[in-house]
């Protein structure tokens, strides 16, 4: 875990996120907290990660998601050298 982001403010944000009960509450909260572009960027990165794990090529991913190769590369680096957060979530939602 990156110590630079482990702050009281981030803890407070994560507690708020963990209090959300369903998709409707997530939409309401994240529309208030994030700009539309921020939210769409987060969703795009998550889709890119899913497609990378499924074995799609950078070209296929770029065409389907509109993500730049720099974004795809950054997500790939997180998948391979990060904290396994994507894999943890994928294992939970794909059961």
């Amino acid at each position: 875990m990156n110590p630079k982001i482990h702050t009281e403010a981030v803890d407070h944000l994560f507690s708020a996120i963990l209090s959300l009960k369903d998709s409707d509450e997530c939409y309401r909260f994240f529309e208030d907290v994030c700009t539309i572009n921020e939210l769409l960027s987060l969703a795009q990165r998550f889709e890119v990660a899913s497609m990378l794990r499924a074995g799609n090529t950078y070209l296929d991913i770029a065409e389907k998601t509109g993500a730049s190769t720099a974004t795809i590369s950054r997500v790939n680096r997180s998948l391979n050298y990060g904290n396994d957060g994507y894999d943890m979530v994928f294992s939970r939602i794909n059961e």
Side-chain angles (χ1 to χ4, degrees):
M1 189 174 349
N2 186 335
K4 292 180 181 179
I5 65 165
H6 195 83
T7 66
E8 189 174 327
V10 173
D11 286 346
H12 195 218
L13 173 64
F14 289 167
S15 292
I17 293 168
L18 290 169
S19 77
L20 301 171
K21 294 178 176 70
D22 56 31
S23 292
D24 182 58
E25 288 188 3
C26 285
Y27 273 100
R28 290 170 52 201
F29 178 74
F30 280 97
E31 283 184 52
D32 284 350
V33 171
C34 298
T35 65
I36 292 171
N37 285 339
E38 289 169 335
L39 189 53
L40 293 175
S41 291
L42 289 171
Q44 182 186 63
R45 286 184 209 132
F46 191 71
E47 185 175 11
V48 166
S50 179
M51 292 180 74
L52 284 167
R53 275 296 179 244
N56 290 275
T57 66
Y58 276 35
L59 181 59
D60 291 337
I61 295 168
E63 287 176 356
K64 182 168 190 286
T65 67
S68 68
T69 55
T71 295
I72 298 167
S73 179
R74 224 175 293 123
V75 171
N76 194 44
R77 194 168 36 255
S78 291
L79 284 168
N80 292 316
Y81 304 108
N83 293 309
D84 298 322
Y86 281 117
D87 288 330
M88 175 183 59
V89 171
F90 291 147
S91 71
R92 291 178 184 171
I93 64 173
N94 292 327
E95 293 178 340

